[in-house]
């Protein structure tokens, strides 16, 4: 990188990249496409990778790689799972965010990536980040797996795009196909950590990988948005299901014969309503949630819970129930009198949010929350709530 490009990046660090691209530059010494990538990359890093953004000289890849890379928060989560040991191998290095955080717990950390430009970027970035134990290998991860020495942990994040750039979600459709190399992975490492799409059904993923090889399943959300499905392979007789959302964790211990069962119950005049966080909604462990916190589930498919007493450590949002009404016009007029706006959610209800909002003649917003749902007996109700 020449000095003109360095100066250009520094002088335009906070500019709108799209406007900058349209304006261009008259200085022919500036590597303009590279400069735009660096400006956009650092702006994204301020949000996703603050420690990287604070490190002078970090080189960022093109926009798509920056948007797809892990955030520092989710990388730290994986580092906690990885723990420490003698040797870590990341078979799908990419930009190297996950690797850079996990590597700090290991005496030796091997980064494997088949794209030479990413390897060059990673080698320099790891040096700047002080990862002197990092070894960069430019090559195919599956090929490297065949001959590599044993490791304490192998990390693999299969590419979820096909040859035409379309998204794929099934394990067997990703590259590499973890199912075809599972046995070799477990032969080479005591533990194997796999990052999968949050769109994937975790139960099917466990079944596909072989439940006898699964030790932990983690569903990771940030700001109540599901980001990652992480599966730790290590032979055992049961596994932990962990639902994480920011600093909150809900753990369920499952044997390989575990199943969900729960009888919904509508208590008289409930005082509090509970809406589980995104990770729990993805996991579907509603019966254990109800049992753990002594809550009543409104119906099998509502995924809403109520209680007479406040449960402050519930992993999700908590509301105070101010009123419960049917869809009867008289009841609605009585309970919605004077109300002009509300935040509306529907769970197991025949109307969409837009349709219900139109029927109730309520605009969006305000401090009132309305949950429209169907009870176990088929009765349609609106729970009118406020934040506790």
């Amino acid at each position: 990188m020449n000095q003109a490009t360095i100066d250009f990046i520094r002088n335009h660090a906070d500019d709108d990249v799209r406007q900058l691209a349209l304006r261009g530059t008259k200085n022919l010494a500036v590597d303009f496409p590279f400069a735009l990538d660096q400006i956009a990359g650092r702006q994204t890093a301020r949000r996703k990778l603050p420690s990287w953004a604070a490190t002078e000289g970090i080189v960022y890849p093109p926009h798509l790689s920056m948007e797809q890379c892990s955030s520092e928060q989710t990388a730290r989560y994986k580092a906690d799972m990885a723990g420490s040991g003698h040797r870590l191998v990341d078979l799908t290095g990419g930009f190297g965010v996950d690797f850079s955080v996990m590597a700090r717990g290991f005496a030796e950390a091997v980064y494997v990536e088949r794209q030479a430009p990413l390897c060059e970027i990673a080698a320099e970035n790891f040096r700047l980040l002080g990862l002197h134990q990092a070894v960069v290998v430019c090559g195919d991860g599956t090929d490297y797996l065949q001959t590599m020495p044993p490791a304490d942990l192998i990390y693999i994040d299969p590419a979820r795009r096909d040859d035409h750039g379309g998204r794929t979600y099934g394990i067997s459709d990703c590259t590499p196909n973890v199912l075809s190399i599972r046995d070799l992975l477990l032969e080479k490492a005591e533990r194997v950590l796999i990052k999968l799409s949050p769109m994937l059904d975790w139960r099917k993923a466990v079944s596909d990988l072989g439940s006898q090889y699964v030790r932990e399943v983690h569903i990771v959300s940030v700001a109540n948005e599901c980001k990652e499905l992480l599966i730790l392979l290590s032979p055992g007789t049961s596994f932990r299901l962990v639902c994480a959302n920011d600093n909150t964790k809900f753990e369920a211990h499952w044997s390989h014969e575990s199943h969900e069962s729960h009888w919904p119950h509508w208590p008289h005049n409930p005082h509090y309503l509970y809406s589980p966080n995104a990770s729990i909604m993805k996991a579907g462990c509603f019966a254990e949630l109800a049992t753990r916190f002594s809550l009543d589930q409104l119906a099998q498919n509502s995924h809403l819970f109520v209680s007479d007493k406040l449960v402050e450590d519930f992993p999700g949002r908590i509301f105070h129930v101010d009123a419960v009404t049917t869809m009867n016009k008289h009841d609605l007029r009585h309970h919605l009198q004077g109300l002009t706006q509300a935040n509306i959610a529907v769970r197991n209800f025949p109307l969409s949010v837009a349709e219900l909002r139109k029927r109730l003649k309520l605009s969006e917003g305000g401090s009132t929350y309305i949950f429209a749902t169907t009870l176990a007996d088929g009765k349609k109700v609106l729970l009118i709530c406020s934040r506790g």
Side-chain angles (χ1 to χ4, degrees):
M1 191 187 333
N2 61 40
Q3 191 59 47
T5 303
I6 293 172
D7 291 341
F8 185 88
I9 293 169
R10 183 180 296 115
N11 293 336
H12 297 277
D14 298 317
D15 288 7
D16 184 302
V17 176
R18 286 172 294 186
Q19 293 298 320
L20 195 60
L22 291 173
R23 291 201 304 269
T25 178
K26 296 179 181 179
N27 189 344
L28 298 181
V30 173
D31 185 341
F32 193 57
F34 176 80
L36 291 179
D37 281 342
Q38 299 315 298
I39 294 168
R42 190 165 186 175
Q43 289 175 1
T44 301
R46 288 173 186 165
R47 168 174 51 88
K48 295 182 69 173
L49 309 167
S51 68
W52 288 54
T55 302
E56 193 65 35
I58 290 288
V59 178
Y60 299 99
H63 175 74
L64 181 60
S65 294
M66 279 301 296
E67 288 303 318
Q68 290 179 342
C69 78
S70 293
S71 68
E72 203 164 316
Q73 183 175 348
T74 58
R76 285 197 300 269
Y77 188 95
K78 288 187 279 288
D80 288 340
M81 289 183 66
S84 59
H86 173 67
R87 193 163 189 266
L88 162 73
V89 175
D90 181 344
L91 292 176
T92 50
F95 184 38
V97 174
D98 288 331
F99 173 85
S100 71
V101 182
M102 289 190 289
R104 299 189 185 279
F106 294 83
E108 181 185 44
V110 182
Y111 162 102
V112 185
E113 170 56 51
R114 60 185 177 181
Q115 297 184 60
L118 279 178
C119 288
E120 293 175 11
I121 291 173
E124 177 61 16
N125 288 347
F126 296 157
R127 184 187 67 79
L128 293 171
L129 292 167
L131 296 174
H132 305 300
Q133 74 275 47
V135 177
V136 174
V137 175
C138 188
D140 181 80
T142 304
D143 292 342
Y144 181 81
L145 177 66
Q146 308 290 330
T147 58
M148 64 173 262
D152 298 290
L153 177 74
I154 291 175
Y155 175 64
I156 187 165
D157 177 8
R160 296 189 287 274
R161 289 186 180 274
D162 59 26
D163 294 337
H164 306 290
R167 283 192 174 276
T168 59
Y169 300 109
I171 299 177
S172 61
D173 297 324
C174 296
T175 306
N177 177 1
V178 178
L179 302 183
S180 67
I181 59 173
R182 180 202 63 195
D183 292 345
L184 184 56
L185 287 166
L186 288 168
E187 179 185 317
K188 293 287 187 174
E190 298 174 5
R191 298 178 300 144
V192 178
L193 179 57
I194 308 169
K195 175 183 172 182
L196 298 169
S197 167
M199 299 294 291
L200 203 60
D201 183 321
W202 70 266
R203 291 179 176 84
K204 185 178 188 307
V206 168
S207 176
D208 288 347
L209 288 165
S211 59
Q212 68 271 31
Y213 300 108
V214 174
R215 182 58 58 88
E216 297 180 13
V217 176
H218 293 246
I219 300 171
V220 182
S221 294
V222 176
N224 210 32
E225 181 181 349
C226 199
K227 294 292 188 180
E228 297 178 355
L229 171 62
L230 305 173
I231 296 183
L232 184 68
L233 301 185
S234 183
T237 58
S238 64
F239 64 88
R240 290 195 308 150
L241 173 63
V242 181
C243 302
N245 181 60
D246 297 331
N247 297 320
T248 301
K249 283 186 180 180
F250 177 79
E251 296 190 20
H253 292 266
W254 291 64
S255 70
H256 295 309
E257 292 78 31
S258 291
H259 62 279
E260 286 277 281
S261 62
H262 181 65
W263 294 102
H265 172 61
W266 172 248
H268 177 68
N269 192 28
H271 293 160
Y272 298 97
L273 178 90
Y274 305 85
S275 178
N277 66 38
S279 290
I280 293 175
M281 291 295 289
K282 176 71 177 177
C285 49
F286 303 114
E288 179 148 352
L289 184 71
T291 301
R292 183 87 56 86
F293 293 98
S294 300
L295 302 173
D296 292 303
Q297 189 173 183
L298 293 184
Q300 192 69 33
N301 298 314
S302 72
H303 312 320
L304 292 171
F305 301 80
V306 291
S307 71
D308 292 332
K309 295 181 180 179
L310 177 62
V311 179
E312 294 183 350
D313 56 346
F314 177 80
R317 295 189 299 167
I318 304 173
F319 301 86
H320 185 272
V321 180
D322 299 319
V324 179
T325 178
T326 68
M327 290 297 291
N328 178 279
K329 289 184 178 180
H330 178 269
D331 289 345
L332 290 175
R333 278 197 300 269
H334 172 70
H335 289 289
L336 301 180
Q337 187 175 9
L339 192 64
T340 58
Q341 59 180 177
N343 305 282
I344 298 176
V346 297
R347 297 278 183 85
N348 188 27
F349 197 75
L351 299 179
S352 67
V353 169
E355 290 168 336
L356 184 57
R357 187 178 298 283
K358 183 177 181 181
R359 180 173 296 190
L360 300 180
K361 298 184 172 80
L362 295 175
S363 61
E364 186 176 357
S367 59
T368 298
Y369 295 79
I370 296 178
F371 289 85
T373 191
T374 304
L375 302 182
D377 62 2
K379 186 177 182 181
K380 308 294 187 291
V381 298
L382 304 183
L383 291 92
I384 304 170
C385 305
S386 54
R387 291 304 294 265

